[in-house]
Amino acid sequence: VQLQASGGGLVQAGGSLNLSCSASGSLSSINGLAWYRQPPGKLREVVASITRGGRRYYADSVKGRFTVSTDSAIFNDNAKNTVYLQMNSLVPEDTAVYYCNAGTTANLYAYWGQGTQVTVSS
């Protein structure tokens, strides 16, 4: 499974960004897609996720501000799917490197895309 993230950048507090992550390869093995972030000097943390069946999870810190979605609820081999993270009402604490992730039943941390930097200025 290959993951390619894009969409990061610099934005003022209160602004919005939309991250995209294109997923390709053996997607039939994937149970869900997720976004994680790693703020400067801190551990990586989950931000939002969406399962094969469309069930969504959000960290408390982003509920009501971020929305995770995919092009399709179907994950097929040799097909592509894209997971999005629409981020609104951004605050400086959202500053981090954001990573997209694909997990399997056996390994929640199976696949990672390259990070994309999000910087929110006050």
Side-chain angles (χ1 to χ4, degrees), residues 6-11 17 19 87 90 95-96 116-121:
S6 62
L10 173 64
V11 64
L17 281 175
L19 304 183
M87 305 186 293
L90 285 161
T95 294
T116 184
Q117 176 71 45
V118 171
T119 303
V120 184
S121 63

Side-chain angles (χ1 to χ4, degrees), residues 1-3 21-24 27 30-36 46-53 55-57 68-75 80-84 99-104 108 111:
V1 174
Q2 294 78 46
L3 301 171
C21 179
S22 176
S24 61
L27 299 186
I30 299 305
N31 222 23
L33 296 167
W35 287 97
Y36 285 70
V46 62
V47 176
S49 65
I50 185 167
T51 67
R52 172 183 291 273
R55 184 177 302 175
R56 292 170 171 82
Y57 163 84
V68 62
S69 63
T70 57
D71 280 342
S72 170
I74 299 173
F75 300 165
K80 288 188 177 181
N81 205 340
T82 301
V83 58
Y84 304 95
Y99 298 89
C100 60
N101 157 272
T104 65
L108 195 60
Y111 304 100

